[in-house]
Amino acid sequence: FFPKRHGIDFYHRYEEDLDLFAEMGFKLLRVSIAWTRLYPTGRELTPNPKGVAFYHRLFTAMRQRGIEPLITLAHYEMPLALALEGNGWVSRDVIELFVRFCRTCFAEYGQYCRYWLTFNEIDSCIRHPFTTAGIIPELCENGELAACYQAMHHQFVASALVTKDLHEMVPGALMGCMLTKLTVYPYTCAPADALATQKRNLENLSYTDIQVFGEYPRLILRDLEKKGIRIEMEPGDKEILKAYPVDYVTFSYYMSMTESVDPNAPRTPGNTVLGVKNPYLESSEWGWQTDPIGLRYSLIEMYDRYKKPIFVVENGLGARDTVEADGSIHDSYRIEYFRRHFIEMAKAIDDGVEMLGYTSWGPIDIISASGNQMSKRYGFIYVDQDDYGNGTLKRSRKD
């Protein structure tokens, strides 16, 4: 809804921002390495030296402040040229180019970083194909949905290959996968609602199943067959997926939803999806329903299913913040949101869930990828900028 523009200029202000994070006691910060900063078109044979140097400065500065990096390798910033030339990840040759980029990252930055992630919310390709995988609808020969599943297959193979490379190049480092955790309850106890809920949850978890268990769930393959979608796999793909699963599992969690077969059930938005509104939960201005117990539920569900360490890498409340006349920013609603979610995480750990860590979205106000919006703020730190890019970019502490 808002024009494409520059972000909050972390590139030039990262030391100031890191000082504020260190003041809050951060032990770890999740960041991504922009593929285009190292390989602008994706096809260069050697990386951009200035891009390489920036991340050395960034990770050194983080370590100097006692903050460990958690690196996401692909977070909605693939080279535009690869989208225009071959429809992004639909093209098989993007795997090799991504592997080259990742090997550069491991060689240059493995000394700083133990925790890595392959693809941010890999399942989001279904919801926003261009943002996630560089897919252009007009270039999809067999339909956009088929292109999404083909692109994700290439990402699954790439994930396995770079997991292998990380283990070989950076001994002791861990590679994780990431899911948009869309926790869904039945709207009623009607069996049809429960069945619809089960199908939705199984589909959501299937993307992590592939990266943990190294194979496609049979139910998902059957569902694709019924939809007339056939994923093109090369000889050896299945063996690669099986041989190199991820070491730990991560997910984003903001809210929960319910599901119903009733077409008239009231629906509400949440993290680029629609679900039936839960009458027992409160909603944000944007319709996202706050459910701290759902985080505990999700942690238990994921750990029981995968039996691998869990990292919550996104969680937070988007809200409008007001700067008072004296410069103070009172965000008691955000404090309460985190307090309630932290309590439920502690309960999940007490239940036996093995948690590696937690990072919020986002620790400083930034632009949302969905609508380039700034007024929906998540940060602990306020950035003076509006939805149209106006402002001083001054950083201010919220309560």
Side-chain angles (χ1 to χ4, degrees), residues 305-372:
R305 188 181 187 92
Y306 300 120
K307 298 174 177 58
K308 286 182 180 282
I310 302 287
F311 219 122
V312 175
V313 293
E314 287 186 28
N315 171 239
L317 175 67
R320 298 184 192 273
D321 294 325
T322 301
V323 181
E324 306 294 341
D326 64 356
S328 61
I329 303 155
H330 304 303
D331 58 343
S332 58
Y333 37 85
R334 186 171 291 108
I335 293 170
E336 179 64 10
Y337 177 97
F338 282 110
R339 186 187 70 82
R340 292 165 61 192
H341 283 77
F342 291 166
I343 287 171
E344 297 302 326
M345 276 196 295
K347 290 178 181 177
I349 293 169
D350 185 60
D351 289 334
V353 174
E354 182 184 0
M355 281 195 69
L356 283 178
Y358 169 96
T359 58
S360 70
W361 185 272
I364 185 170
D365 291 344
I366 58 174
I367 298 164
S368 293
S370 53
N372 290 334

Side-chain angles (χ1 to χ4, degrees), residues 163-182:
T163 298
K164 171 181 177 290
D165 287 342
L166 178 68
H167 292 160
E168 292 176 353
M169 297 177 67
V170 190
L174 301 175
M175 183 67 81
C177 61
M178 184 185 171
L179 178 74
T180 316
K181 186 64 180 77
L182 302 173

Side-chain angles (χ1 to χ4, degrees), residues 3 10 147:
F10 180 76

